[in-house]
Amino acid sequence: MKVGILTGGGDCPGLNAVIRAVVRKGVFHYKDEFVGFLEGWRGVQENKTQPLDLSSVGGILPRGGTILRTSRTNPGKHENGLTRCIENLKNNKVDALVAIGGDDTISVALRLHEMGVKVVGVPKTIDNDLSGTDFTFGFDTAVNVATSAIDRVHTTAEAHNRVMVVEVMGRDSGWIAMYSGIAGGADVILIPEKPFDIEEVAETIRLRHARGRYFSIVVVAEGAKFASDMDRQHGAPVVNNLGTDEFGHARLGGIGNILAREIERLTGFETRAVVLGHIQRGGSPSAFDRVLATRYGIGAIDMVHRGEFGCMAALRGNKIVSVSLAEAIGANRKVDQDLIDVAVGILDKLKDTDKTDKTKEAKETVSR
Ligand code: F6P
């Protein structure tokens, strides 16, 4: 078969590992030929291609980014965009297409499949918010980066008696904030799923400091929202510029600085913010992501040869299975209550009276 491959949406560590696995198994096992479409759906729409063979995937396993580059192009928003994609797939004699991407890329794959294109999806996003799969590749690397940043922020917060706010990615779901917050021992974790009351955040920090702790760590997902109108954001996420991309997404970012300012105003504790941004998406994939991406790549090319089109490779438990593209984009996958309960379970739950005792105890320990 001749198989096309593209990577769409925000890049993430492990994209090259998927491409490598698809090509290697395709060539060695099925005698396939490959063509790479450059810059996501833009390459299919505008016929920008690159040959893909064993030599072009040599040495790319540990490399971040994507050798096919990427974009947030939505052919559904361009004149005849989808039909141009279909024509270019025919011109390149492509029998099947492997589309590696998040909900936006997969939504275009579904539309093309409904128009007759033989397409298989692979779930990619550091946000880990695609339905139908337990984990997307790229998430583990992002969590590792965020956790080591929180560890570093801890020591400087401790040295200066400061509150430090760490802003991590996560547009609609707070998976990165939750995992890195738990792994990094954060005192407050704020996620898009649960709009927060700034007064409650301030009180948590005040109580912690009242019992003798002199620094605090807050982890906030970029898509987290203030709950009340009092906080000027009126329940909307903080954006750092106006306008949206071709899939209608605003460019988020900035909540960390606003939060730091409000915490300092309400508690009187010196507070600083750190925004991790694209550092979470760059660099070499973790071992877990390299293995997961390789398993997805093998799963996808096997699905192509089993004729399972309109489907996406997915991880369920410890098995790679096939789910429909419609299921994958049906709903954004939210942080589940079990994980929220874990985070809440380790939070400071002392009653006020206990806190007074603890404060006394802490002071005595310090003076001793
Ligand atoms: O979709 C993944 C993601 O990293 C989100 O967490 C973030 O909001 C967005 O991409 C940023 O996209 P861009 O790199 O296009 O600014």
Side-chain angles (χ1 to χ4, degrees):
M1 288 177 92
K2 180 143 182 212
V3 181
I5 307 181
L6 69 88
T7 54
D11 71 323
C12 85
L15 285 165
N16 286 325
V18 179
I19 298 169
R20 172 180 175 269
V22 172
V23 171
R24 284 175 72 99
K25 178 141 193 195
V27 171
F28 289 139
H29 196 86
Y30 296 114
K31 310 270 180 287
D32 288 335
E33 275 178 56
F34 289 91
V35 58
F37 288 95
L38 298 173
E39 299 165 15
W41 292 114
R42 185 189 292 146
V44 189
Q45 184 180 273
E46 294 172 15
N47 201 25
K48 294 170 89 175
T49 65
Q50 160 185 308
L52 267 186
D53 56 17
L54 288 177
S55 72
S56 39
V57 300
I60 67 172
L61 174 65
R63 259 165 64 185
T66 156
I67 58 166
L68 295 176
R69 303 200 300 275
T70 185
S71 73
R72 295 194 185 275
T73 307
N74 180 357
K77 286 282 160 67
H78 293 245
E79 207 179 330
N80 301 322
L82 292 164
T83 45
R84 273 154 67 197
C85 285
I86 293 174
E87 274 160 26
N88 286 328
L89 289 169
K90 278 193 191 129
N91 293 340
N92 283 284
K93 301 193 171 27
V94 166
D95 300 303
L97 183 66
V98 175
I100 311 167
D103 47 358
D104 297 334
T105 305
I106 299 294
S107 69
V108 176
L110 178 59
R111 286 189 71 186
L112 287 171
H113 175 68
E114 286 162 356
M115 295 167 81
V117 175
K118 292 178 171 169
V119 59
V120 160
V122 176
K124 165 247 63 159
T125 167
I126 62 163
D127 288 3
N128 198 36
D129 60 352
L130 261 180
S131 288
T133 188
D134 292 349
F135 285 101
T136 54
F137 69 88
F139 170 64
D140 181 68
T141 309
V143 168
N144 286 335
V145 170
T147 303
S148 68
I150 294 167
D151 288 347
R152 284 171 184 276
V153 157
H154 243 106
T155 59
T156 163
E158 209 169 356
H160 283 269
N161 298 353
R162 282 176 179 155
V163 179
M164 296 290 291
V165 177
V166 181
E167 178 183 314
V168 299
M169 280 187 169
R171 196 202 309 269
D172 302 303
S173 302
W175 290 101
I176 298 176
M178 214 33 145
Y179 265 68
S180 63
I182 294 173
D187 306 296
V188 176
I189 304 171
L190 303 172
I191 58 175
E193 288 86 341
K194 304 263 175 204
F196 63 89
D197 178 351
I198 184 68
E199 187 40 59
E200 240 176 68
V201 172
E203 185 61 4
T204 304
I205 294 169
R206 277 190 215 109
L207 291 175
R208 180 178 144 81
H209 288 229
R211 68 178 175 85
R213 304 302 281 156
Y214 42 83
F215 73 96
S216 291
I217 306 292
V218 177
V219 175
V220 59
E222 61 180 357
K225 304 163 194 81
F226 288 86
S228 83
D229 284 356
M230 262 172 45
D231 302 308
R232 293 187 305 279
Q233 302 302 325
H234 303 285
V238 177
V239 293
N240 72 8
N241 78 340
L242 296 174
T244 55
D245 67 19
E246 291 186 2
F247 288 92
H249 304 301
R251 198 179 296 170
L252 301 185
I255 192 163
N257 282 300
I258 295 176
L259 201 55
R261 195 184 60 213
E262 291 301 295
I263 290 172
E264 186 166 303
R265 183 177 69 80
L266 292 168
T267 64
F269 302 128
E270 189 180 0
T271 307
R272 298 291 173 88
V274 173
V275 181
L276 293 189
H278 293 82
I279 290 170
Q280 295 157 96
R281 288 223 312 249
S284 189
S286 65
F288 180 88
D289 276 337
R290 292 181 201 189
V291 175
L292 182 60
T294 301
R295 293 179 73 195
Y296 277 141
I298 299 293
I301 192 71
D302 286 344
M303 283 163 64
V304 164
H305 284 275
R306 288 197 302 263
E308 288 170 16
F309 299 114
C311 292
M312 182 185 83
L315 183 73
R316 290 274 173 87
N318 201 24
K319 288 261 174 292
I320 299 292
V321 299
S322 147
V323 299
S324 74
L325 294 177
E327 179 181 351
I329 58 162
N332 189 263
R333 200 165 70 87
K334 302 293 183 197
V335 171
D336 50 67
Q337 191 57 45
D338 288 354
L339 193 60
I340 295 175
D341 291 344
V342 169
V344 171
I346 52 172
L347 280 184
D348 181 347
K349 285 281 187 193
L350 294 175
K351 286 191 247 89
D352 280 354
T353 47
D354 298 337
K355 280 183 198 298
T356 319
D357 293 346
K358 279 276 169 195
T359 311
K360 241 197 319 179
E361 229 174 74
K363 279 188 186 146
E364 279 162 14
T365 315
V366 170
S367 60
R368 270 205 301 274

